[in-house]
Amino acid sequence: MAKDFARGFYDSPQWRKTSKAYLSSKNYICEDCGGAACIVHHIRHIEPWNINDPEVTLNWINLKAVCEKCHAQEHAQDYKAFKGQPAKLNGISFDENGDAIESPNVFLVCGSRAAERQRMY
């Protein structure tokens, strides 16, 4: 998920055009594993101080086509290196070896049993 400061950039026509063209140029093949790429990853990460620098944000030299799994692993490694804790993406985190750890789904049920019984009649 994009950080708050970068949301406007990722919604911009310039990024949408660049990322679409880049994925197409790589035939939608992940540059890490050879799977189906659906994400354009910035090798040098976008930060508040470089978000307006097209050499970082839009330069194809700084881009890589990746699949969701490789993208999550990329950020998990970054996160672990800088924060010491595993990153999560769509309920999946990664251990110190980079292996996926699925978090159990949690369902929140609202209302009382009495309300449920009333609906039945």
Side-chain angles (χ1 to χ4, degrees), residues 75-87:
H75 283 286
Q77 290 172 357
D78 294 339
Y79 193 79
K80 284 191 296 186
F82 293 108
K83 304 288 185 188
Q85 298 178 9

Side-chain angles (χ1 to χ4, degrees), residues 94-116:
F94 298 89
D95 64 17
E96 60 277 353
N97 298 320
D99 297 320
I101 303 169
E102 289 193 44
S103 301
N105 290 329
V106 177
F107 298 96
L108 179 62
V109 179
C110 299
S112 67
R113 300 278 299 159
E116 182 180 318

